Amino acid sequence: MHNIIESSLLTLKKSKVLLNKLSNEELSNSSVSPYYSSIGSHIRHIYDFYDCSCNLNHEGIIDLTSRKRDLSVEVCCDSAMGYLNQILERLSVLKDKINERIIVIDDLGSGKIKINYTYEALLAQANSHTIHHYAIIGYILDRLNIEIEDNNFGYNPTTPNSRINFK
């Protein structure tokens, strides 16, 4: 399997541990300041990004602005787990497309634009994006006094940190 796909799968699988630990109430709790977002809203956002990334149309275009936004994923651990499993399956079969040139549509703040990419670059972006949201989730978990058994959850492997041990 291609290293970038494998990295994405490993990163995404971290949320399985999280979803197995949380109740639906904890998943949807939006009481933590300053943004009052829930763990579920971040999980849904991560999965939507990957879902879009797997939706290459016949013209070689992926539209990141066309997300599912299934709100049940934000409030139900079973829905989130089902969505995750679909994405993991879809990512596993992308190895033949990894070096393809694609066009990504995104809105960077001034309206939709088309950006030249490779699938490899898009999945690398998705992986970093996921880790960024895991860091926010880690903050929410801390404020809700919920612990998970993953010392590097939310840390980018390139971030020096003496309290975690990366392989």
Side-chain angles (χ1 to χ4, degrees), residues 134-163:
Y134 281 177
I136 298 167
I137 290 169
Y139 174 81
I140 296 170
L141 289 168
D142 180 71
R143 294 298 170 251
L144 296 175
N145 293 314
I146 300 170
E147 291 185 26
I148 60 168
E149 289 113 31
D150 186 342
N151 288 336
N152 62 0
F153 186 85
Y155 285 91
N156 189 304
T158 62
T159 303
N161 188 325
S162 59
R163 76 170 190 85

Side-chain angles (χ1 to χ4, degrees), residues 1-23:
M1 184 172 304
H2 193 279
N3 197 7
I4 289 182
I5 293 174
E6 188 174 313
S7 296
S8 291
L9 293 172
L10 286 172
T11 300
L12 283 168
K13 286 178 183 175
K14 288 177 173 282
S15 61
K16 277 191 174 200
V17 173
L18 181 64
L19 291 170
N20 283 326
K21 169 113 179 151
L22 297 176
S23 68

Side-chain angles (χ1 to χ4, degrees), residues 14-92:
K14 288 177 173 282
S15 61
K16 277 191 174 200
V17 173
L18 181 64
L19 291 170
N20 283 326
K21 169 113 179 151
L22 297 176
S23 68
N24 291 339
E25 292 75 26
E26 292 166 330
L27 180 72
S28 60
N29 185 320
S30 59
S31 66
V32 176
S33 66
Y35 302 111
Y36 304 99
S37 59
S38 68
I39 294 167
S41 67
H42 290 278
I43 292 291
R44 186 218 20 97
H45 178 72
I46 291 165
Y47 297 172
D48 280 351
F49 192 101
Y50 272 102
D51 180 62
C52 281
S53 297
C54 294
N55 289 331
L56 183 68
N57 73 16
H58 65 281
E59 297 172 337
I61 297 173
I62 292 174
D63 186 350
L64 293 179
T65 68
S66 179
R67 297 187 185 146
K68 263 188 195 175
R69 293 182 171 91
D70 178 356
L71 299 183
S72 71
V73 173
E74 296 185 18
V75 298
C76 178
C77 293
D78 289 339
S79 291
M81 189 69 81
Y83 195 14
L84 171 61
N85 288 331
Q86 289 173 7
I87 291 164
L88 293 174
E89 285 179 33
R90 293 173 72 200
L91 279 174
S92 296

